[in-house]
Amino acid sequence: MQFSLPEIRPKEWIHRIKEEFFPPRILDKYVFSEFVKIFIGALITLGFLAFMSSYSDIKGDMASSKGGKIHGWLFILFRLPQMLIQYIMNIAILFSVSFSVGQFSANKELVAMMAAGISFRRIVTPIVAFSCVLWFAAFFLKQTVVAPLNARANEEHKMLKEGDQNTLVGVVYQKHFKGQEGFYYIYYYDTKEEEIKGGFNYIRLTQEQTPDYLLVAQRAKFDYQKEVWVLKSVEETKFDDELQVVSVQKFTEKEYLLPEKPDYFKKLKGSVEEMNFFELLEEKENRIRKGLSYGDVDIAKHTLFAEPLLIVVLTLVGCASGFFTKRMAIVSSLGVSIGVALLYMVMDPSFKSLGENEVIPIWLASWITPMLFLSGLYVVYKRLKV
């Protein structure tokens, strides 16, 4: 018995699509126009609510800010695209699809369309095609618009918080760094004074990877003229080959020639939300070199592709829920929208947390939520047989 794969004829497929959808049929125009009106209305409404929610979150900071209220408004403005792509668009398309298709079902228009010999899949094809366009648009916008605007938003938030005595913005952090010849532990790097404060610890290793000496200092500042580190209130402990302490000396100030320069200790580039795909690759290499964790970077790389796919998933969910709607489409569509959104908001962060903690593979943590939804939808649509 011989098996053969069906012959793929791209030209024939293109011809069929052209014949079926171009020019658009009256039915396609009607279904899409009803959907898109609700979608635009939902976008505007949810966008306004997101704007008010963002203002409510930072109005206290704006009232007490010494940096100027304008930075608060700019923070909200630059943050809105992220909220639009990540939350607003998803909820808007789920609501508008389930509501519009639900209205067709409740008003028996769906029955009339199907009685004319048009399958349910063909009826909702314009809406699904639109969601696929949004999928690619969301991916492109996250790379080119959202990431840089997130960086601007964080900068505006820092300026808004300037002068707040209870907050140290972009300064305090505790980190371990892997150097060329040893390991560092520093408390924080003051970028304005270009000085490490609160603690600078360094252990140098021999070629056999055994401790050579240990430095514990209160402060450290790099002398660019001499290209040496000037450590203050430093304690120097030396070891022998048997790991026994040879000497312990204390100095008020002493110069050390260390392989790493100040740029090595500056705070990480920023949130992964501020980076595009290529910047994430660079950030991962940077963290590996410094011996820092990079699970969130790997998660962000996969999320760039997996997260926009949710638009298509929610469109298919909305179509299925609308198909089963018999009456009061707005009530059922709201219920489905809220239920699915809450379920996703619980599942997605939970799986990503498992991935960052290496409980499950990173790629699985990023893709499992949309894949589970798609698997469930496959079963639903297979049973519809329409």
Side-chain angles (χ1 to χ4, degrees), residues 8-172:
I8 299 175
R9 299 176 179 176
K11 291 184 179 181
E12 185 177 332
W13 287 359
I14 294 173
H15 178 72
R16 287 180 180 178
I17 293 173
K18 184 178 179 180
E19 289 292 324
E20 182 71 20
F21 297 102
F22 299 96
R25 298 181 180 182
I26 296 176
L27 179 61
D28 294 329
K29 294 179 181 179
Y30 173 68
V31 171
F32 183 75
S33 63
E34 291 298 311
F35 153 75
V36 80
K37 287 187 290 187
I38 300 171
F39 177 66
I40 293 173
L43 275 182
I44 295 173
T45 303
L46 292 171
F48 177 75
L49 292 176
F51 179 85
M52 295 304 298
S53 176
S54 298
Y55 171 73
S56 178
D57 289 340
I58 67 166
K59 66 179 181 181
D61 293 334
M62 292 174 66
S64 60
S65 174
K66 297 180 181 179
K69 293 183 179 180
I70 184 63
H71 297 299
W73 293 113
L74 289 174
F75 167 75
I76 295 173
L77 180 64
F78 292 143
R79 201 66 177 176
L80 273 178
Q82 167 74 13
M83 299 179 69
L84 173 67
I85 299 297
Q86 191 167 355
Y87 302 109
I88 298 173
M89 189 180 295
N90 291 328
I91 297 175
I93 200 163
L94 176 60
F95 169 76
S96 56
V97 171
S98 57
F99 178 79
S100 57
V101 177
Q103 285 285 70
F104 295 147
S105 180
N107 296 335
K108 306 302 180 182
E109 292 178 270
L110 202 60
V111 175
M113 296 175 192
M114 295 174 67
I118 305 173
S119 68
F120 176 71
R121 295 185 181 90
R122 176 61 184 85
I123 293 170
V124 298
T125 294
I127 299 176
V128 177
F130 178 73
S131 72
C132 292
V133 173
L134 286 182
W135 173 17
F136 289 105
F139 172 76
F140 178 77
L141 290 174
K142 288 193 71 172
Q143 298 285 299
T144 58
V145 177
V146 174
L149 286 183
N150 281 341
R152 289 290 304 276
N154 289 335
E155 288 298 321
E156 294 297 335
H157 191 254
K158 290 177 184 178
M159 294 179 185
L160 179 68
K161 300 285 284 187
E162 274 190 2
D164 189 342
Q165 300 298 321
N166 297 321
T167 307
L168 293 171
V169 181
V171 175
V172 177

Side-chain angles (χ1 to χ4, degrees), residues 31-321:
V31 171
F32 183 75
S33 63
E34 291 298 311
F35 153 75
V36 80
K37 287 187 290 187
I38 300 171
F39 177 66
I40 293 173
L43 275 182
I44 295 173
T45 303
L46 292 171
F48 177 75
L49 292 176
F51 179 85
M52 295 304 298
S53 176
S54 298
Y55 171 73
S56 178
D57 289 340
I58 67 166
K59 66 179 181 181
D61 293 334
M62 292 174 66
S64 60
S65 174
K66 297 180 181 179
K69 293 183 179 180
I70 184 63
H71 297 299
W73 293 113
L74 289 174
F75 167 75
I76 295 173
L77 180 64
F78 292 143
R79 201 66 177 176
L80 273 178
Q82 167 74 13
M83 299 179 69
L84 173 67
I85 299 297
Q86 191 167 355
Y87 302 109
I88 298 173
M89 189 180 295
N90 291 328
I91 297 175
I93 200 163
L94 176 60
F95 169 76
S96 56
V97 171
S98 57
F99 178 79
S100 57
V101 177
Q103 285 285 70
F104 295 147
S105 180
N107 296 335
K108 306 302 180 182
E109 292 178 270
L110 202 60
V111 175
M113 296 175 192
M114 295 174 67
I118 305 173
S119 68
F120 176 71
R121 295 185 181 90
R122 176 61 184 85
I123 293 170
V124 298
T125 294
I127 299 176
V128 177
F130 178 73
S131 72
C132 292
V133 173
L134 286 182
W135 173 17
F136 289 105
F139 172 76
F140 178 77
L141 290 174
K142 288 193 71 172
Q143 298 285 299
T144 58
V145 177
V146 174
L149 286 183
N150 281 341
R152 289 290 304 276
N154 289 335
E155 288 298 321
E156 294 297 335
H157 191 254
K158 290 177 184 178
M159 294 179 185
L160 179 68
K161 300 285 284 187
E162 274 190 2
D164 189 342
Q165 300 298 321
N166 297 321
T167 307
L168 293 171
V169 181
V171 175
V172 177
Y173 69 108
Q174 301 176 4
K175 289 290 183 183
H176 292 275
F177 292 91
K178 178 183 177 182
Q180 297 180 31
E181 299 176 353
F183 293 88
Y184 298 86
Y185 175 78
I186 67 175
Y187 190 70
Y188 70 83
Y189 188 94
D190 190 330
T191 54
K192 292 184 178 180
E193 298 184 17
E194 293 191 346
E195 184 176 14
I196 295 173
K197 299 178 179 179
F200 178 91
N201 305 307
Y202 175 65
I203 182 169
R204 184 184 184 279
L205 303 179
T206 64
Q207 293 183 352
E208 292 75 24
Q209 298 299 299
T210 58
D212 184 13
Y213 62 82
L214 171 67
L215 303 177
V216 179
Q218 288 297 315
R219 295 190 176 199
K221 190 175 181 68
F222 189 75
D223 189 325
Y224 286 94
Q225 293 182 344
K226 298 181 181 179
E227 292 194 344
V228 296
W229 281 93
V230 180
L231 274 59
K232 299 179 180 180
S233 301
V234 58
E235 180 179 282
E236 179 185 293
T237 305
K238 293 186 177 181
F239 303 90
D240 59 17
D241 295 337
E242 302 297 327
L243 301 183
Q244 299 297 319
V245 176
V246 175
S247 64
V248 178
Q249 295 178 289
K250 294 184 178 181
F251 306 94
T252 304
E253 183 176 296
K254 188 176 179 180
E255 297 177 352
Y256 290 90
L257 182 62
L258 302 177
E260 281 67 41
K261 300 296 188 293
D263 287 343
Y264 197 77
F265 304 103
K266 288 183 179 179
K267 199 167 185 182
L268 302 177
K269 182 175 181 180
S271 168
V272 292
E273 294 180 348
E274 301 175 15
M275 307 177 201
N276 58 36
F277 181 76
F278 299 103
E279 289 171 334
L280 288 169
L281 292 177
E282 182 182 347
E283 178 69 9
K284 181 178 179 179
E285 292 179 0
N286 184 36
R287 293 196 188 185
I288 291 175
R289 187 172 64 254
K290 294 182 179 182
L292 302 175
S293 61
Y294 52 86
D296 59 330
V297 178
D298 278 340
I299 286 286
K301 285 194 302 181
H302 286 280
T303 299
L304 286 175
F305 298 92
E307 195 171 77
L309 179 60
L310 185 66
I311 296 173
V312 179
V313 172
L314 294 180
T315 300
L316 296 174
V317 171
C319 290
S321 66

Side-chain angles (χ1 to χ4, degrees), residues 342-353:
L342 289 176
L343 182 61
Y344 173 79
M345 291 174 65
V346 171
M347 290 176 59
D348 192 58
S350 300
F351 285 122
K352 288 179 178 177
S353 177

